[in-house]
Amino acid sequence: MSQVTRALDYLKQGLTLARSPGLRAYVVVPMIFNVLVFGGLYYLSGQWIAGWISTATAGWAFDGGLSFLNGAIDFLVSAAVVLVWILLLGLLASVFTLGVQLIAAPFMGFLAEKVDVRATGRPLPEESIPAMTLRVFKRELRKTWYWLWRAVLILFVVLVIYFIPVVNVFASAVWFLWSGWLLGMQYIDYAADNRQVPFTEMLERLKTKRWLVLTFGSVILGLTMLPLVNLVIMPVAVIAGTLVWVHELEEGP
């Protein structure tokens, strides 16, 4: 079985395990949290912007011979409000996912631990909850620094490619694949961190299975681009990423 096929199989296994009794709570709780927080932010932001548009355009009406345009103006204002709601949904879907990954990291660490122990039968190193929470949070900051400055460089390359005729069709693909690699790393690293494998060593192991990690992360990236789906995909991705680590990478190259 190729690395690409195995990556898809792990995602399928992750979806199956997410519905199992022992792990269901770790999937449902963050899903409810995500939906409540996302829904609240979306509603409040949308109401504020829509209200601002309505207030700003309240006096836009013609009298006399141009009054026939008032219907068109009302339509454009209504269309602008609808467009704001749609764009806000896409924006919050992207930004909110990054924020939740940082906030929910300790909880996802617990989920990865449950999957790891179930798959291997081996307990994880003894560690207090405060120590584990601090370690996971520091790891998330380390990963954020890893991708942040590299993302700036990749973005520069993408912008250069974008202005080159013919070659510019590959600009979006470069950025998508880079983002897919990052997401693959993100969700596989929960299990590596639980086993207290150093971040640099984890990266070296990922490089031995590039196509597997890239396929895994790219599929997740595609799913996170779907509004609402991205609110429930995180636990499934953590489960699948843990399986990838346990079965493919834990022993190293």
Side-chain angles (χ1 to χ4, degrees):
M1 190 184 303
S2 69
Q3 292 187 28
V4 172
T5 306
R6 292 204 304 276
L8 297 175
D9 186 60
Y10 285 124
L11 284 168
K12 181 180 178 181
Q13 291 181 48
L15 183 60
T16 300
L17 284 175
R19 301 194 297 268
S20 63
L23 300 177
R24 193 177 299 151
Y26 290 89
V27 176
V28 173
V29 170
M31 180 182 69
I32 293 175
F33 171 79
N34 289 351
V35 169
L36 290 177
V37 175
F38 179 88
L41 287 175
Y42 179 60
Y43 176 78
L44 292 176
S45 301
Q47 284 289 93
W48 181 80
I49 296 175
W52 179 83
I53 292 175
S54 298
T55 301
T57 58
W60 291 15
F62 292 105
D63 296 322
L66 295 178
S67 60
F68 71 93
L69 294 175
N70 290 337
I73 291 176
D74 291 339
F75 172 79
L76 291 175
V77 171
S78 299
V81 171
V82 172
L83 182 61
V84 163
W85 281 101
I86 294 173
L87 293 177
L88 187 63
L89 180 63
L91 177 62
L92 284 181
S94 301
V95 176
F96 184 77
T97 300
L98 295 176
V100 167
Q101 284 179 349
L102 186 61
I103 296 171
F107 194 90
M108 293 298 99
F110 281 122
L111 174 58
E113 177 182 346
K114 293 292 183 182
V115 177
D116 190 323
V117 172
R118 175 183 289 195
T120 65
R122 294 183 288 106
L124 271 71
E126 291 290 333
E127 190 176 23
S128 67
I129 292 179
M132 186 276 292
T133 302
L134 179 61
R135 173 178 54 78
V136 171
F137 187 73
K138 289 170 62 177
R139 184 79 159 213
E140 288 300 308
L141 293 178
R142 175 69 178 84
K143 282 186 283 189
T144 300
W145 171 246
Y146 167 84
W147 69 258
L148 187 59
W149 71 268
R150 287 174 173 82
V152 174
L153 294 178
I154 296 295
L155 181 59
F156 176 77
V157 172
V158 168
L159 289 174
V160 171
I161 294 176
Y162 183 79
F163 290 103
I164 301 176
V166 181
V167 180
N168 57 9
V169 297
F170 297 102
S172 298
V174 170
W175 185 256
F176 183 87
L177 292 175
W178 163 246
S179 301
W181 172 265
L182 289 180
L183 272 188
M185 176 200 72
Q186 169 74 29
Y187 289 114
I188 292 172
D189 185 58
Y190 285 113
D193 189 30
N194 280 341
R195 291 293 176 182
Q196 299 183 17
V197 176
F199 184 74
T200 52
E201 182 179 341
M202 182 274 302
L203 287 177
E204 290 302 315
R205 296 190 191 184
L206 293 189
K207 292 174 184 177
T208 65
K209 300 289 179 68
R210 293 179 186 273
W211 284 107
L212 188 151
V213 176
L214 190 58
T215 302
F216 174 70
S218 296
V219 173
I220 294 173
L221 177 60
L223 293 173
T224 60
M225 290 179 175
L226 301 176
L228 302 182
V229 174
N230 66 346
L231 300 179
V232 300
I233 189 59
M234 183 186 296
V236 175
V238 170
I239 295 171
T242 302
L243 295 176
V244 171
W245 174 260
V246 167
H247 296 302
E248 301 280 348
L249 301 165
E250 188 169 18
E251 299 303 323

